Amino acid sequence: MSTTSPPGDRIAKVLARAGVASRREAERMVEAGRVTVNGRKIDSPALNVTPGDKITVDGKPLAAAEPPRLWLYHKPAGLVTSARDEKGRATVFDNLPEGMPRVMSVGRLDLNSEGLLLLTNDGEIKRRMELPSTGWLRRYRVRVRGIPKDEMLEPLRKGLTVDGERFQPMEVTLDRQQGANAWLTIALREGKNREIRRAAEAVGLIVNRLIRISYGPFQLGTLKEGAVEELKSRVVRDQLGLDKDFKPTTAPKPKVTRARPQSRGKPTRR
């Protein structure tokens, strides 16, 4: 029995590399019958394709994959990190600068959270960076209401269970007390839904501001709120350990641009 793998790459990986969607989303598109290969509609992502295959998505030919690119974005509070919002709220993607290509977020920041959000045009990079096995440290500046004592913070450092969900140990530092509030620096290697807010509430602290300042080796730095900065292709390749299949061509020099004014009013700062 032959154990040789069929030539090419899985269809979802090819769609993700072309920036159509993340790999998981691409699999759902295939299962929904939105993809054809050589004129035949497919309904299973268990298919390898080669560069010679003709692929369409929603009736449109699949564009050639662009070089992988990565941007730093300073997300303001009050924006939803999704392509569409069923409640009609403004999204991150509504407020990106003119001329940005189609991009996806690496992970999420919830509505009221601010700070560093990574954006990419490459669904395969998105998948790689979100994998739990990557274990990249995410660091946050967190303002809480109350006067935290070291014994209150210890359960966060040891790991705790909230509503049946286990949170891994966090790195927690008390930076300063500021009146009725205190500033903490919290770092974690997961990214579960509202993890910091829920864990803090479990020990009696209410988060009233949360700013992500780094994601792995990528730093928010002095990037202004609403601004976007593209990283140099060499930095992307080196930091992500991309192999020759991901090697980008020469990209434009990185630049910082301002986002368009928000059409639904500037989020209220707390």
Side-chain angles (χ1 to χ4, degrees), residues 97-147:
E98 297 283 358
M100 285 280 290
R102 183 189 182 280
V103 292
M104 297 159 274
S105 67
V106 177
R108 292 174 177 264
L109 285 174
D110 66 35
L111 177 70
N112 295 315
S113 296
E114 312 163 51
L116 180 63
L117 186 67
L118 298 176
L119 306 172
T120 181
N121 67 331
D122 192 303
E124 186 64 15
I125 285 181
K126 169 184 167 70
R127 187 189 73 88
R128 283 190 181 196
M129 296 179 73
E130 290 177 344
L131 285 173
S133 58
T134 303
W136 272 354
L137 198 68
R138 289 91 153 167
R139 195 175 300 277
Y140 301 80
R141 292 273 288 141
V142 183
R143 190 177 68 190
V144 297
R145 187 169 69 245
I147 304 176

mmCIF file of all heavy atoms in Angstrom, residues 97-147:
data_model
loop_
_atom_site.group_PDB
_atom_site.id
_atom_site.type_symbol
_atom_site.label_atom_id
_atom_site.label_comp_id
_atom_site.label_asym_id
_atom_site.label_seq_id
_atom_site.Cartn_x
_atom_site.Cartn_y
_atom_site.Cartn_z
ATOM 1 N N PRO A 97 -7.215 52.373 7.342
ATOM 2 C CA PRO A 97 -6.911 53.407 6.344
ATOM 3 C C PRO A 97 -7.303 52.992 4.939
ATOM 4 O O PRO A 97 -7.376 51.800 4.617
ATOM 5 C CB PRO A 97 -5.387 53.568 6.461
ATOM 6 C CG PRO A 97 -5.032 53.022 7.800
ATOM 7 C CD PRO A 97 -6.016 51.930 8.071
ATOM 8 N N GLU A 98 -7.544 53.977 4.103
ATOM 9 C CA GLU A 98 -7.809 53.725 2.692
ATOM 10 C C GLU A 98 -6.592 53.022 2.066
ATOM 11 O O GLU A 98 -5.460 53.289 2.422
ATOM 12 C CB GLU A 98 -8.050 55.055 1.958
ATOM 13 C CG GLU A 98 -9.273 55.827 2.437
ATOM 14 C CD GLU A 98 -10.575 55.248 1.918
ATOM 15 O OE1 GLU A 98 -10.509 54.265 1.145
ATOM 16 O OE2 GLU A 98 -11.648 55.766 2.285
ATOM 17 N N GLY A 99 -6.869 52.135 1.141
ATOM 18 C CA GLY A 99 -5.785 51.486 0.421
ATOM 19 C C GLY A 99 -5.279 50.207 1.060
ATOM 20 O O GLY A 99 -4.432 49.523 0.481
ATOM 21 N N MET A 100 -5.784 49.855 2.259
ATOM 22 C CA MET A 100 -5.374 48.589 2.868
ATOM 23 C C MET A 100 -5.954 47.424 2.071
ATOM 24 O O MET A 100 -7.110 47.478 1.637
ATOM 25 C CB MET A 100 -5.883 48.517 4.308
ATOM 26 C CG MET A 100 -5.131 49.365 5.304
ATOM 27 S SD MET A 100 -3.574 48.605 5.847
ATOM 28 C CE MET A 100 -4.170 47.236 6.840
ATOM 29 N N PRO A 101 -5.188 46.353 1.869
ATOM 30 C CA PRO A 101 -5.749 45.164 1.225
ATOM 31 C C PRO A 101 -6.690 44.441 2.192
ATOM 32 O O PRO A 101 -6.841 44.841 3.345
ATOM 33 C CB PRO A 101 -4.512 44.321 0.928
ATOM 34 C CG PRO A 101 -3.543 44.699 1.999
ATOM 35 C CD PRO A 101 -3.784 46.171 2.247
ATOM 36 N N ARG A 102 -7.310 43.391 1.713
ATOM 37 C CA ARG A 102 -8.137 42.581 2.599
ATOM 38 C C ARG A 102 -7.239 41.935 3.659
ATOM 39 O O ARG A 102 -6.251 41.288 3.325
ATOM 40 C CB ARG A 102 -8.858 41.486 1.813
ATOM 41 C CG ARG A 102 -9.792 40.645 2.667
ATOM 42 C CD ARG A 102 -10.317 39.451 1.890
ATOM 43 N NE ARG A 102 -11.239 38.672 2.693
ATOM 44 C CZ ARG A 102 -10.878 37.784 3.616
ATOM 45 N NH1 ARG A 102 -9.588 37.575 3.840
ATOM 46 N NH2 ARG A 102 -11.774 37.118 4.313
ATOM 47 N N VAL A 103 -7.572 42.139 4.918
ATOM 48 C CA VAL A 103 -6.756 41.600 5.999
ATOM 49 C C VAL A 103 -7.637 40.873 7.010
ATOM 50 O O VAL A 103 -8.848 41.072 7.065
ATOM 51 C CB VAL A 103 -5.946 42.706 6.716
ATOM 52 C CG1 VAL A 103 -4.885 43.276 5.807
ATOM 53 C CG2 VAL A 103 -6.855 43.804 7.260
ATOM 54 N N MET A 104 -6.985 40.050 7.813
ATOM 55 C CA MET A 104 -7.626 39.321 8.906
ATOM 56 C C MET A 104 -6.885 39.652 10.191
ATOM 57 O O MET A 104 -5.695 39.951 10.172
ATOM 58 C CB MET A 104 -7.556 37.816 8.653
ATOM 59 C CG MET A 104 -8.291 37.354 7.410
ATOM 60 S SD MET A 104 -7.704 35.736 6.818
ATOM 61 C CE MET A 104 -6.317 36.264 5.810
ATOM 62 N N SER A 105 -7.600 39.595 11.300
ATOM 63 C CA SER A 105 -6.941 39.838 12.579
ATOM 64 C C SER A 105 -6.356 38.544 13.118
ATOM 65 O O SER A 105 -6.901 37.457 12.904
ATOM 66 C CB SER A 105 -7.932 40.414 13.602
ATOM 67 O OG SER A 105 -8.923 39.454 13.937
ATOM 68 N N VAL A 106 -5.226 38.669 13.802
ATOM 69 C CA VAL A 106 -4.636 37.541 14.514
ATOM 70 C C VAL A 106 -5.209 37.576 15.919
ATOM 71 O O VAL A 106 -4.863 38.424 16.727
ATOM 72 C CB VAL A 106 -3.098 37.642 14.549
ATOM 73 C CG1 VAL A 106 -2.511 36.494 15.348
ATOM 74 C CG2 VAL A 106 -2.537 37.664 13.136
ATOM 75 N N GLY A 107 -6.134 36.674 16.198
ATOM 76 C CA GLY A 107 -6.827 36.720 17.475
ATOM 77 C C GLY A 107 -7.784 37.902 17.513
ATOM 78 O O GLY A 107 -8.103 38.509 16.493
ATOM 79 N N ARG A 108 -8.210 38.244 18.724
ATOM 80 C CA ARG A 108 -9.194 39.304 18.887
ATOM 81 C C ARG A 108 -8.868 40.155 20.107
ATOM 82 O O ARG A 108 -8.127 39.735 20.991
ATOM 83 C CB ARG A 108 -10.606 38.716 19.084
ATOM 84 C CG ARG A 108 -11.179 38.021 17.855
ATOM 85 C CD ARG A 108 -12.498 37.337 18.179
ATOM 86 N NE ARG A 108 -13.085 36.723 17.000
ATOM 87 C CZ ARG A 108 -14.011 37.286 16.243
ATOM 88 N NH1 ARG A 108 -14.460 38.497 16.547
ATOM 89 N NH2 ARG A 108 -14.511 36.665 15.189
ATOM 90 N N LEU A 109 -9.449 41.334 20.122
ATOM 91 C CA LEU A 109 -9.561 42.144 21.331
ATOM 92 C C LEU A 109 -11.041 42.460 21.475
ATOM 93 O O LEU A 109 -11.700 42.816 20.487
ATOM 94 C CB LEU A 109 -8.759 43.444 21.211
ATOM 95 C CG LEU A 109 -7.235 43.331 21.338
ATOM 96 C CD1 LEU A 109 -6.588 44.685 21.058
ATOM 97 C CD2 LEU A 109 -6.838 42.836 22.729
ATOM 98 N N ASP A 110 -11.591 42.347 22.681
ATOM 99 C CA ASP A 110 -13.021 42.562 22.824
ATOM 100 C C ASP A 110 -13.377 44.044 22.671
ATOM 101 O O ASP A 110 -12.514 44.913 22.545
ATOM 102 C CB ASP A 110 -13.558 41.962 24.132
ATOM 103 C CG ASP A 110 -13.024 42.644 25.384
ATOM 104 O OD1 ASP A 110 -12.819 43.871 25.360
ATOM 105 O OD2 ASP A 110 -12.830 41.958 26.400
ATOM 106 N N LEU A 111 -14.666 44.321 22.658
ATOM 107 C CA LEU A 111 -15.186 45.654 22.345
ATOM 108 C C LEU A 111 -14.508 46.751 23.144
ATOM 109 O O LEU A 111 -14.108 47.792 22.596
ATOM 110 C CB LEU A 111 -16.698 45.676 22.599
ATOM 111 C CG LEU A 111 -17.411 47.009 22.384
ATOM 112 C CD1 LEU A 111 -17.456 47.355 20.913
ATOM 113 C CD2 LEU A 111 -18.819 46.957 22.975
ATOM 114 N N ASN A 112 -14.344 46.545 24.439
ATOM 115 C CA ASN A 112 -13.841 47.601 25.315
ATOM 116 C C ASN A 112 -12.341 47.556 25.529
ATOM 117 O O ASN A 112 -11.806 48.362 26.300
ATOM 118 C CB ASN A 112 -14.558 47.539 26.668
ATOM 119 C CG ASN A 112 -16.039 47.841 26.529
ATOM 120 O OD1 ASN A 112 -16.422 48.782 25.842
ATOM 121 N ND2 ASN A 112 -16.881 47.029 27.158
ATOM 122 N N SER A 113 -11.656 46.637 24.871
ATOM 123 C CA SER A 113 -10.209 46.542 25.018
ATOM 124 C C SER A 113 -9.510 47.346 23.928
ATOM 125 O O SER A 113 -10.058 47.584 22.864
ATOM 126 C CB SER A 113 -9.755 45.084 24.966
ATOM 127 O OG SER A 113 -10.290 44.360 26.064
ATOM 128 N N GLU A 114 -8.281 47.766 24.235
ATOM 129 C CA GLU A 114 -7.503 48.629 23.342
ATOM 130 C C GLU A 114 -6.145 47.989 23.080
ATOM 131 O O GLU A 114 -5.791 46.972 23.658
ATOM 132 C CB GLU A 114 -7.277 50.006 23.997
ATOM 133 C CG GLU A 114 -8.494 50.659 24.592
ATOM 134 C CD GLU A 114 -8.106 51.774 25.553
ATOM 135 O OE1 GLU A 114 -7.298 52.651 25.150
ATOM 136 O OE2 GLU A 114 -8.581 51.772 26.701
ATOM 137 N N GLY A 115 -5.390 48.658 22.219
ATOM 138 C CA GLY A 115 -3.994 48.288 22.075
ATOM 139 C C GLY A 115 -3.680 47.486 20.843
ATOM 140 O O GLY A 115 -4.354 47.572 19.815
ATOM 141 N N LEU A 116 -2.622 46.681 20.939
ATOM 142 C CA LEU A 116 -2.030 46.029 19.782
ATOM 143 C C LEU A 116 -2.914 44.918 19.229
ATOM 144 O O LEU A 116 -3.247 43.959 19.923
ATOM 145 C CB LEU A 116 -0.664 45.447 20.165
ATOM 146 C CG LEU A 116 0.077 44.732 19.031
ATOM 147 C CD1 LEU A 116 0.402 45.698 17.888
ATOM 148 C CD2 LEU A 116 1.361 44.094 19.571
ATOM 149 N N LEU A 117 -3.256 45.060 17.948
ATOM 150 C CA LEU A 117 -3.939 44.011 17.206
ATOM 151 C C LEU A 117 -3.126 43.775 15.942
ATOM 152 O O LEU A 117 -2.830 44.718 15.203
ATOM 153 C CB LEU A 117 -5.367 44.441 16.856
ATOM 154 C CG LEU A 117 -6.247 43.380 16.189
ATOM 155 C CD1 LEU A 117 -6.538 42.232 17.162
ATOM 156 C CD2 LEU A 117 -7.560 43.997 15.707
ATOM 157 N N LEU A 118 -2.738 42.530 15.706
ATOM 158 C CA LEU A 118 -1.979 42.192 14.507
ATOM 159 C C LEU A 118 -2.937 41.875 13.369
ATOM 160 O O LEU A 118 -3.943 41.190 13.557
ATOM 161 C CB LEU A 118 -1.072 40.993 14.773
ATOM 162 C CG LEU A 118 -0.003 41.185 15.860
ATOM 163 C CD1 LEU A 118 0.754 39.882 16.084
ATOM 164 C CD2 LEU A 118 0.961 42.291 15.488
ATOM 165 N N LEU A 119 -2.605 42.363 12.183
ATOM 166 C CA LEU A 119 -3.397 42.128 10.979
ATOM 167 C C LEU A 119 -2.514 41.487 9.924
ATOM 168 O O LEU A 119 -1.340 41.837 9.799
ATOM 169 C CB LEU A 119 -3.964 43.448 10.445
ATOM 170 C CG LEU A 119 -4.781 44.309 11.414
ATOM 171 C CD1 LEU A 119 -5.094 45.658 10.780
ATOM 172 C CD2 LEU A 119 -6.061 43.600 11.828
ATOM 173 N N THR A 120 -3.071 40.559 9.150
ATOM 174 C CA THR A 120 -2.307 39.916 8.091
ATOM 175 C C THR A 120 -3.189 39.675 6.872
ATOM 176 O O THR A 120 -4.413 39.569 6.995
ATOM 177 C CB THR A 120 -1.703 38.579 8.571
ATOM 178 O OG1 THR A 120 -0.939 37.991 7.505
ATOM 179 C CG2 THR A 120 -2.770 37.591 8.998
ATOM 180 N N ASN A 121 -2.551 39.592 5.724
ATOM 181 C CA ASN A 121 -3.259 39.248 4.495
ATOM 182 C C ASN A 121 -3.218 37.751 4.224
ATOM 183 O O ASN A 121 -3.739 37.290 3.211
ATOM 184 C CB ASN A 121 -2.642 39.995 3.298
ATOM 185 C CG ASN A 121 -1.221 39.508 2.989
ATOM 186 O OD1 ASN A 121 -0.502 39.050 3.880
ATOM 187 N ND2 ASN A 121 -0.811 39.614 1.740
ATOM 188 N N ASP A 122 -2.617 36.981 5.133
ATOM 189 C CA ASP A 122 -2.330 35.573 4.888
ATOM 190 C C ASP A 122 -2.997 34.703 5.954
ATOM 191 O O ASP A 122 -2.632 34.741 7.126
ATOM 192 C CB ASP A 122 -0.810 35.357 4.895
ATOM 193 C CG ASP A 122 -0.409 33.997 4.371
ATOM 194 O OD1 ASP A 122 -0.877 32.994 4.929
ATOM 195 O OD2 ASP A 122 0.371 33.946 3.409
ATOM 196 N N GLY A 123 -3.991 33.918 5.535
ATOM 197 C CA GLY A 123 -4.714 33.088 6.487
ATOM 198 C C GLY A 123 -3.874 32.014 7.131
ATOM 199 O O GLY A 123 -4.139 31.592 8.257
ATOM 200 N N GLU A 124 -2.825 31.558 6.438
ATOM 201 C CA GLU A 124 -1.962 30.537 7.020
ATOM 202 C C GLU A 124 -1.107 31.123 8.143
ATOM 203 O O GLU A 124 -0.884 30.476 9.171
ATOM 204 C CB GLU A 124 -1.078 29.923 5.940
ATOM 205 C CG GLU A 124 -0.237 28.745 6.407
ATOM 206 C CD GLU A 124 -1.051 27.548 6.854
ATOM 207 O OE1 GLU A 124 -2.255 27.486 6.551
ATOM 208 O OE2 GLU A 124 -0.478 26.671 7.532
ATOM 209 N N ILE A 125 -0.645 32.362 7.969
ATOM 210 C CA ILE A 125 0.086 33.026 9.052
ATOM 211 C C ILE A 125 -0.835 33.244 10.241
ATOM 212 O O ILE A 125 -0.451 33.019 11.401
ATOM 213 C CB ILE A 125 0.673 34.361 8.560
ATOM 214 C CG1 ILE A 125 1.893 34.095 7.675
ATOM 215 C CG2 ILE A 125 1.066 35.262 9.727
ATOM 216 C CD1 ILE A 125 2.568 35.334 7.160
ATOM 217 N N LYS A 126 -2.057 33.666 9.985
ATOM 218 C CA LYS A 126 -3.034 33.846 11.063
ATOM 219 C C LYS A 126 -3.180 32.552 11.869
ATOM 220 O O LYS A 126 -3.130 32.561 13.105
ATOM 221 C CB LYS A 126 -4.376 34.255 10.458
ATOM 222 C CG LYS A 126 -5.573 34.227 11.431
ATOM 223 C CD LYS A 126 -6.855 34.566 10.695
ATOM 224 C CE LYS A 126 -8.078 34.243 11.531
ATOM 225 N NZ LYS A 126 -8.221 35.162 12.693
ATOM 226 N N ARG A 127 -3.335 31.437 11.157
ATOM 227 C CA ARG A 127 -3.509 30.160 11.847
ATOM 228 C C ARG A 127 -2.293 29.810 12.688
ATOM 229 O O ARG A 127 -2.416 29.402 13.846
ATOM 230 C CB ARG A 127 -3.763 29.054 10.806
ATOM 231 C CG ARG A 127 -4.121 27.701 11.417
ATOM 232 C CD ARG A 127 -4.146 26.618 10.359
ATOM 233 N NE ARG A 127 -2.803 26.266 9.931
ATOM 234 C CZ ARG A 127 -2.040 25.338 10.532
ATOM 235 N NH1 ARG A 127 -2.481 24.685 11.598
ATOM 236 N NH2 ARG A 127 -0.835 25.069 10.073
ATOM 237 N N ARG A 128 -1.101 29.973 12.094
ATOM 238 C CA ARG A 128 0.132 29.658 12.824
ATOM 239 C C ARG A 128 0.237 30.462 14.118
ATOM 240 O O ARG A 128 0.601 29.945 15.172
ATOM 241 C CB ARG A 128 1.350 29.981 11.961
ATOM 242 C CG ARG A 128 1.679 28.977 10.872
ATOM 243 C CD ARG A 128 3.045 29.319 10.290
ATOM 244 N NE ARG A 128 3.431 28.426 9.214
ATOM 245 C CZ ARG A 128 4.676 28.327 8.775
ATOM 246 N NH1 ARG A 128 5.634 29.063 9.319
ATOM 247 N NH2 ARG A 128 4.982 27.513 7.787
ATOM 248 N N MET A 129 -0.065 31.776 14.029
ATOM 249 C CA MET A 129 0.139 32.649 15.175
ATOM 250 C C MET A 129 -0.890 32.433 16.266
ATOM 251 O O MET A 129 -0.653 32.761 17.431
ATOM 252 C CB MET A 129 0.132 34.109 14.715
ATOM 253 C CG MET A 129 1.272 34.443 13.768
ATOM 254 S SD MET A 129 1.259 36.150 13.198
ATOM 255 C CE MET A 129 1.784 36.987 14.704
ATOM 256 N N GLU A 130 -2.047 31.874 15.903
ATOM 257 C CA GLU A 130 -3.101 31.654 16.891
ATOM 258 C C GLU A 130 -3.022 30.283 17.550
ATOM 259 O O GLU A 130 -3.697 30.041 18.559
ATOM 260 C CB GLU A 130 -4.473 31.808 16.232
ATOM 261 C CG GLU A 130 -4.806 33.236 15.837
ATOM 262 C CD GLU A 130 -6.144 33.364 15.124
ATOM 263 O OE1 GLU A 130 -6.678 32.311 14.670
ATOM 264 O OE2 GLU A 130 -6.649 34.474 15.010
ATOM 265 N N LEU A 131 -2.222 29.372 17.002
ATOM 266 C CA LEU A 131 -2.146 28.026 17.558
ATOM 267 C C LEU A 131 -1.686 28.056 19.013
ATOM 268 O O LEU A 131 -0.698 28.723 19.340
ATOM 269 C CB LEU A 131 -1.178 27.170 16.748
ATOM 270 C CG LEU A 131 -1.652 26.676 15.376
ATOM 271 C CD1 LEU A 131 -0.513 25.983 14.645
ATOM 272 C CD2 LEU A 131 -2.840 25.737 15.522
ATOM 273 N N PRO A 132 -2.392 27.351 19.920
ATOM 274 C CA PRO A 132 -1.955 27.298 21.325
ATOM 275 C C PRO A 132 -0.525 26.803 21.470
ATOM 276 O O PRO A 132 0.194 27.222 22.378
ATOM 277 C CB PRO A 132 -2.954 26.322 21.961
ATOM 278 C CG PRO A 132 -4.161 26.384 21.082
ATOM 279 C CD PRO A 132 -3.640 26.604 19.695
ATOM 280 N N SER A 133 -0.100 25.926 20.568
ATOM 281 C CA SER A 133 1.256 25.378 20.666
ATOM 282 C C SER A 133 2.326 26.442 20.432
ATOM 283 O O SER A 133 3.479 26.266 20.829
ATOM 284 C CB SER A 133 1.438 24.244 19.649
ATOM 285 O OG SER A 133 1.189 24.701 18.328
ATOM 286 N N THR A 134 1.952 27.550 19.775
ATOM 287 C CA THR A 134 2.917 28.636 19.569
ATOM 288 C C THR A 134 3.342 29.221 20.911
ATOM 289 O O THR A 134 4.519 29.505 21.138
ATOM 290 C CB THR A 134 2.306 29.737 18.682
ATOM 291 O OG1 THR A 134 1.886 29.161 17.443
ATOM 292 C CG2 THR A 134 3.318 30.825 18.408
ATOM 293 N N GLY A 135 2.367 29.406 21.796
ATOM 294 C CA GLY A 135 2.669 29.843 23.155
ATOM 295 C C GLY A 135 3.276 31.224 23.273
ATOM 296 O O GLY A 135 4.023 31.500 24.219
ATOM 297 N N TRP A 136 2.984 32.110 22.343
ATOM 298 C CA TRP A 136 3.536 33.456 22.432
ATOM 299 C C TRP A 136 2.901 34.236 23.578
ATOM 300 O O TRP A 136 1.699 34.159 23.810
ATOM 301 C CB TRP A 136 3.310 34.204 21.120
ATOM 302 C CG TRP A 136 4.420 33.975 20.150
ATOM 303 C CD1 TRP A 136 5.586 33.303 20.375
ATOM 304 C CD2 TRP A 136 4.465 34.415 18.791
ATOM 305 N NE1 TRP A 136 6.365 33.303 19.239
ATOM 306 C CE2 TRP A 136 5.702 33.972 18.252
ATOM 307 C CE3 TRP A 136 3.594 35.129 17.976
ATOM 308 C CZ2 TRP A 136 6.086 34.227 16.951
ATOM 309 C CZ3 TRP A 136 3.974 35.385 16.671
ATOM 310 C CH2 TRP A 136 5.201 34.940 16.172
ATOM 311 N N LEU A 137 3.737 34.983 24.275
ATOM 312 C CA LEU A 137 3.273 35.747 25.425
ATOM 313 C C LEU A 137 2.539 37.000 24.958
ATOM 314 O O LEU A 137 3.038 37.758 24.121
ATOM 315 C CB LEU A 137 4.474 36.138 26.293
ATOM 316 C CG LEU A 137 4.187 36.556 27.730
ATOM 317 C CD1 LEU A 137 3.687 35.363 28.544
ATOM 318 C CD2 LEU A 137 5.444 37.123 28.378
ATOM 319 N N ARG A 138 1.330 37.209 25.503
ATOM 320 C CA ARG A 138 0.597 38.448 25.271
ATOM 321 C C ARG A 138 0.653 39.260 26.559
ATOM 322 O O ARG A 138 0.327 38.760 27.621
ATOM 323 C CB ARG A 138 -0.868 38.175 24.941
ATOM 324 C CG ARG A 138 -1.127 37.561 23.579
ATOM 325 C CD ARG A 138 -1.142 36.080 23.621
ATOM 326 N NE ARG A 138 -1.978 35.525 22.552
ATOM 327 C CZ ARG A 138 -1.990 34.261 22.199
ATOM 328 N NH1 ARG A 138 -1.189 33.395 22.819
ATOM 329 N NH2 ARG A 138 -2.762 33.822 21.242
ATOM 330 N N ARG A 139 1.061 40.520 26.432
ATOM 331 C CA ARG A 139 1.237 41.348 27.625
ATOM 332 C C ARG A 139 0.246 42.522 27.598
ATOM 333 O O ARG A 139 0.043 43.138 26.560
ATOM 334 C CB ARG A 139 2.677 41.858 27.705
ATOM 335 C CG ARG A 139 3.073 42.413 29.077
ATOM 336 C CD ARG A 139 4.550 42.793 29.102
ATOM 337 N NE ARG A 139 5.424 41.667 28.820
ATOM 338 C CZ ARG A 139 5.798 40.779 29.733
ATOM 339 N NH1 ARG A 139 5.393 40.897 30.993
ATOM 340 N NH2 ARG A 139 6.607 39.782 29.394
ATOM 341 N N TYR A 140 -0.336 42.810 28.763
ATOM 342 C CA TYR A 140 -1.385 43.827 28.875
ATOM 343 C C TYR A 140 -1.105 44.765 30.043
ATOM 344 O O TYR A 140 -0.579 44.337 31.085
ATOM 345 C CB TYR A 140 -2.753 43.169 29.131
ATOM 346 C CG TYR A 140 -3.198 42.200 28.068
ATOM 347 C CD1 TYR A 140 -2.693 40.895 28.040
ATOM 348 C CD2 TYR A 140 -4.125 42.558 27.106
ATOM 349 C CE1 TYR A 140 -3.101 39.988 27.066
ATOM 350 C CE2 TYR A 140 -4.547 41.654 26.131
ATOM 351 C CZ TYR A 140 -4.026 40.374 26.118
ATOM 352 O OH TYR A 140 -4.423 39.477 25.161
ATOM 353 N N ARG A 141 -1.492 46.026 29.857
ATOM 354 C CA ARG A 141 -1.579 46.980 30.962
ATOM 355 C C ARG A 141 -3.036 47.011 31.369
ATOM 356 O O ARG A 141 -3.929 47.255 30.546
ATOM 357 C CB ARG A 141 -1.111 48.362 30.517
ATOM 358 C CG ARG A 141 0.373 48.417 30.227
ATOM 359 C CD ARG A 141 1.192 48.713 31.470
ATOM 360 N NE ARG A 141 1.016 50.089 31.885
ATOM 361 C CZ ARG A 141 0.927 50.500 33.153
ATOM 362 N NH1 ARG A 141 0.969 49.637 34.132
ATOM 363 N NH2 ARG A 141 0.799 51.776 33.427
ATOM 364 N N VAL A 142 -3.280 46.771 32.643
ATOM 365 C CA VAL A 142 -4.651 46.567 33.113
ATOM 366 C C VAL A 142 -4.940 47.488 34.305
ATOM 367 O O VAL A 142 -4.199 47.472 35.298
ATOM 368 C CB VAL A 142 -4.882 45.093 33.532
ATOM 369 C CG1 VAL A 142 -6.332 44.877 33.949
ATOM 370 C CG2 VAL A 142 -4.493 44.148 32.395
ATOM 371 N N ARG A 143 -6.002 48.280 34.186
ATOM 372 C CA ARG A 143 -6.432 49.119 35.308
ATOM 373 C C ARG A 143 -7.640 48.463 35.967
ATOM 374 O O ARG A 143 -8.596 48.101 35.296
ATOM 375 C CB ARG A 143 -6.798 50.522 34.823
ATOM 376 C CG ARG A 143 -7.027 51.523 35.961
ATOM 377 C CD ARG A 143 -7.305 52.907 35.405
ATOM 378 N NE ARG A 143 -8.596 52.957 34.722
ATOM 379 C CZ ARG A 143 -9.010 53.987 33.987
ATOM 380 N NH1 ARG A 143 -8.230 55.043 33.815
ATOM 381 N NH2 ARG A 143 -10.200 53.957 33.389
ATOM 382 N N VAL A 144 -7.544 48.304 37.277
ATOM 383 C CA VAL A 144 -8.630 47.667 38.025
ATOM 384 C C VAL A 144 -9.121 48.607 39.119
ATOM 385 O O VAL A 144 -8.362 49.424 39.659
ATOM 386 C CB VAL A 144 -8.186 46.328 38.657
ATOM 387 C CG1 VAL A 144 -7.802 45.330 37.580
ATOM 388 C CG2 VAL A 144 -7.032 46.524 39.633
ATOM 389 N N ARG A 145 -10.395 48.499 39.435
ATOM 390 C CA ARG A 145 -10.957 49.261 40.543
ATOM 391 C C ARG A 145 -10.751 48.471 41.825
ATOM 392 O O ARG A 145 -11.090 47.302 41.911
ATOM 393 C CB ARG A 145 -12.459 49.513 40.315
ATOM 394 C CG ARG A 145 -13.059 50.447 41.356
ATOM 395 C CD ARG A 145 -14.459 50.921 40.990
ATOM 396 N NE ARG A 145 -15.432 49.833 41.053
ATOM 397 C CZ ARG A 145 -16.085 49.354 40.015
ATOM 398 N NH1 ARG A 145 -15.855 49.845 38.803
ATOM 399 N NH2 ARG A 145 -16.953 48.374 40.142
ATOM 400 N N GLY A 146 -10.169 49.126 42.797
ATOM 401 C CA GLY A 146 -9.930 48.462 44.066
ATOM 402 C C GLY A 146 -8.477 48.615 44.500
ATOM 403 O O GLY A 146 -7.670 49.284 43.846
ATOM 404 N N ILE A 147 -8.172 47.983 45.614
ATOM 405 C CA ILE A 147 -6.820 48.037 46.170
ATOM 406 C C ILE A 147 -6.319 46.598 46.259
ATOM 407 O O ILE A 147 -6.500 45.918 47.268
ATOM 408 C CB ILE A 147 -6.811 48.717 47.554
ATOM 409 C CG1 ILE A 147 -7.437 50.112 47.464
ATOM 410 C CG2 ILE A 147 -5.377 48.809 48.094
ATOM 411 C CD1 ILE A 147 -7.554 50.822 48.796
#
